[in-house]
């Protein structure tokens, strides 16, 4: 598996799947979640509403992952996962790692060979970027998968540098 970290816009990635740092409601929000819903169009929201009406009436649990259409995005699928909110008083690293491993498992069931991840939980959920990068890259590295290309797509240079450092360390 080839793992890279780049600075860019995850909604522009022409890969099999992009991962959405979703809210548990699956109905959109700010940050990556809002950008994916806006650029992908109403097809993504409609698919999320169907998930809420079916298997996830109470929302998607933290650390789990589920796929929908990518709507108007260049990708084929969006894999939605809910990251944990950071707190210094409780270790939630396993929940964050689960976001990445479960997303890779969903990608495998779809037959996806290429996937893009954002920096899950590092925005409004306040996970320290360097710690999140180490957890994310280690989880990807340690998860058995048929995915060939994993691209971390980071919004800013600081995040890209943190993820690039983690890739060098674990890659």
């Amino acid at each position: 598996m080839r793992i890279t970290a780049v600075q860019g816009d995850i909604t522009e990635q022409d890969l099999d799947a992009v991962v959405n740092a979703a809210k548990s409601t699956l109905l959109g929000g700010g940050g990556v979640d809002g950008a994916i819903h806006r650029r992908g169009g109403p097809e993504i929201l409609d698919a999320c509403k169907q998930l809420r009406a079916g298997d996830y009436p109470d929302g998607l649990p933290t650390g789990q992952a589920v796929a929908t259409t990518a709507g108007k995005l260049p990708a084929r699928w969006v894999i939605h996962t809910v990251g944990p909110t950071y707190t210094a008083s409780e270790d939630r690293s396993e929940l964050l790692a689960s976001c990445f491993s479960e997303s890779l498992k969903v990608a495998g069931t779809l037959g996806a060979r290429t996937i893009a991840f954002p920096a899950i939980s590092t925005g409004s959920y306040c996970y320290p970027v360097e710690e999140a990068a180490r957890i994310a890259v280690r989880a990807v590295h340690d998860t058995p998968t048929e995915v060939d290309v994993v691209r971390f797509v980071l919004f800013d240079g600081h995040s890209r540098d943190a993820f690039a450092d983690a890739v060098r360390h674990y890659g």
Side-chain angles (χ1 to χ4, degrees), residues 50-155:
Q50 289 177 7
L51 288 168
R52 287 297 307 272
D55 292 339
Y56 301 100
D58 298 323
L60 184 66
T62 301
Q64 297 300 305
V66 65
T68 66
T69 179
K72 296 174 182 148
L73 296 174
R76 294 176 64 192
W77 300 286
V78 173
I79 299 173
H80 306 267
T81 190
V82 180
T85 300
Y86 179 79
T87 176
S89 63
E90 182 182 347
D91 181 6
R92 295 184 176 167
S93 60
E94 289 301 318
L95 282 172
L96 183 56
S98 180
C99 292
F100 296 93
S101 59
E102 292 300 314
S103 293
L104 285 172
K105 290 175 187 173
V106 169
T109 66
L110 296 170
R113 303 303 290 239
T114 57
I115 189 170
F117 284 101
I120 296 167
S121 286
T122 64
S124 61
Y125 288 5
C126 301
Y127 229 99
V129 173
E130 289 79 6
E131 185 177 347
R134 289 189 300 272
I135 293 166
V137 174
R138 184 176 61 241
V140 166
H141 185 268
D142 292 349
T143 301
T145 183
E146 297 296 315
V147 172
D148 297 320
V149 173
V150 173
R151 183 180 303 156
F152 290 99
V153 181
L154 299 314
F155 185 71

Side-chain angles (χ1 to χ4, degrees), residues 36-62:
I36 285 175
H37 275 269
R38 280 189 303 277
R39 178 118 191 248
E43 296 88 354
I44 296 173
L45 182 58
D46 290 345
C48 287
K49 286 179 179 178
Q50 289 177 7
L51 288 168
R52 287 297 307 272
D55 292 339
Y56 301 100
D58 298 323
L60 184 66
T62 301

